[in-house]
Amino acid sequence: MMSAIKTQKKELVRVKNLVKYFPVENSDDVVRAVDDVSFDIFAGETLGLVGESGCGKSTVGRCLLRLHEPTSGSVSFEGQEIIGLPNREMQKLRREMQIIFQDPYASLNPRLSILSIVSEPLKIHGIGNKTEQKERVADLLKKVGLDPDYMFRYPHEFSGGQRQRLGIARALALNPKLIIADEPVSALDVSVQAQVVNLLQDLQAEFGLTYLFISHGLAVVEHISNRVAVMYLGKIVEIAAARELYELPLHPYTKALLSAIPIPDPKQKRARIVLKGDVPTPINPPSGCRFRTRCPIAIPECAEKVPELREITKGHLAACIRVQGYESAPLAE
């Protein structure tokens, strides 16, 4: 379905035809949260995953860690298939795969000290004695810009930005290769967002981390990502290198998203693309192309044919039957 991008980088994660449906209570219907999604993540890169709220991007991240069991499809990590892997083997593999949650308030147990919270992964995997675990926590707090003495405090004594740094420290405890960053800055003030994003980049450079960075903040994703995948209603509609996608988007949905990014210069204006109507329900999505009910260039054939995510130019994939190549002009006037 999807052409692999030719690169010298080692493929760390491969997702193929991933599907996740949630049953609807007291009904035979299902919520098609993720419906036939495929992509690769290469070692050392940041893949941004963007889209409107409810498009399924967080569900994709949780399926990669099997926090949600996929309905079908394949997820491999360093060539090892993890769907159907026994729990004991999956627990070992989770040392290599960690998550930073969206809400820094809800993700930390208010009854536990920071020492207990950050050292918990070490205890679960039997790494080090109490003294070594305490030293590891002190080192991790330094890495994320916090005083090691904070380990004796409790979550309610910290600001939102500090709590997210604690969440990052916990994710780093086992020296993972992959971190799923599930909207890690969306609950923070703008000034704090920049600090956390810069911290994530510094840690990536220091430890050789690989990120799946999930967000609806397009400006943040552009800053941190090497490549970007765009989701709409459970499907990926476009994947490209970050700079290429932001400068020459191909899919009409991507163009509409990018047209909404504010320009920090009041003398410049951007041609806005305003989508009409509401996002359809994932319980009963439109036939053919799911974006067709809001697409400004839709034709009758869009209702009949499900567009394939195909490579339009080298490394640039789009799922639209009307996209033939670089037909678009820059969005800024």
Side-chain angles (χ1 to χ4, degrees), residues 110-125:
R111 298 186 178 185
L112 297 181
S113 68
I114 301 309
L115 174 60
S116 297
I117 289 171
V118 179
S119 66
E120 188 172 16
L122 303 172
K123 296 174 183 176
I124 291 173
H125 291 272

Side-chain angles (χ1 to χ4, degrees), residues 166-284:
L166 294 170
I168 294 170
R170 179 176 56 186
L172 290 174
L174 298 172
N175 290 319
K177 295 178 181 177
L178 173 69
I179 290 182
I180 310 295
D182 186 8
E183 303 207 38
V185 298
S186 63
L188 307 178
D189 293 337
V190 174
S191 59
V192 180
Q193 287 183 14
Q195 295 173 14
V196 173
V197 168
N198 290 337
L199 172 63
L200 290 171
Q201 290 181 309
D202 292 342
L203 293 171
Q204 183 177 40
E206 182 175 354
F207 297 107
L209 298 170
T210 302
Y211 293 138
L212 175 62
F213 191 91
I214 300 168
S215 179
H216 58 258
L218 293 169
V220 174
V221 170
E222 181 182 18
H223 179 70
I224 196 173
S225 301
N226 302 106
R227 292 186 300 134
V228 177
V230 182
M231 280 193 74
Y232 181 80
L233 205 61
K235 287 184 175 290
I236 289 182
V237 298
E238 188 165 0
I239 302 177
R243 183 174 180 180
E244 187 171 329
L245 184 134
Y246 278 77
E247 292 182 355
L248 288 169
L250 296 180
H251 197 280
Y253 177 63
T254 308
K255 295 178 184 180
L257 285 182
L258 296 181
S259 74
I261 300 177
I263 298 177
D265 186 348
K267 295 181 180 179
Q268 285 188 307
K269 293 183 179 180
R270 194 190 298 276
R272 285 295 309 274
I273 301 174
V274 181
L275 299 178
K276 297 181 180 179
D278 297 325
V279 179
T281 172
I283 297 176
N284 185 26

Side-chain angles (χ1 to χ4, degrees), residues 287-289 292 297-307 321-322:
S287 62
C289 175
R292 67 177 175 81
I297 62 171
I299 56 177
E301 188 179 354
C302 295
E304 303 168 2
K305 184 177 180 180
V306 177
I321 63 174
R322 300 208 62 190

Side-chain angles (χ1 to χ4, degrees), residues 310-325:
R310 56 195 172 91
E311 193 169 50
I312 308 300
T313 61
K314 185 177 180 180
H316 197 151
L317 297 85
C320 178
I321 63 174
R322 300 208 62 190
V323 171
Q324 302 299 324

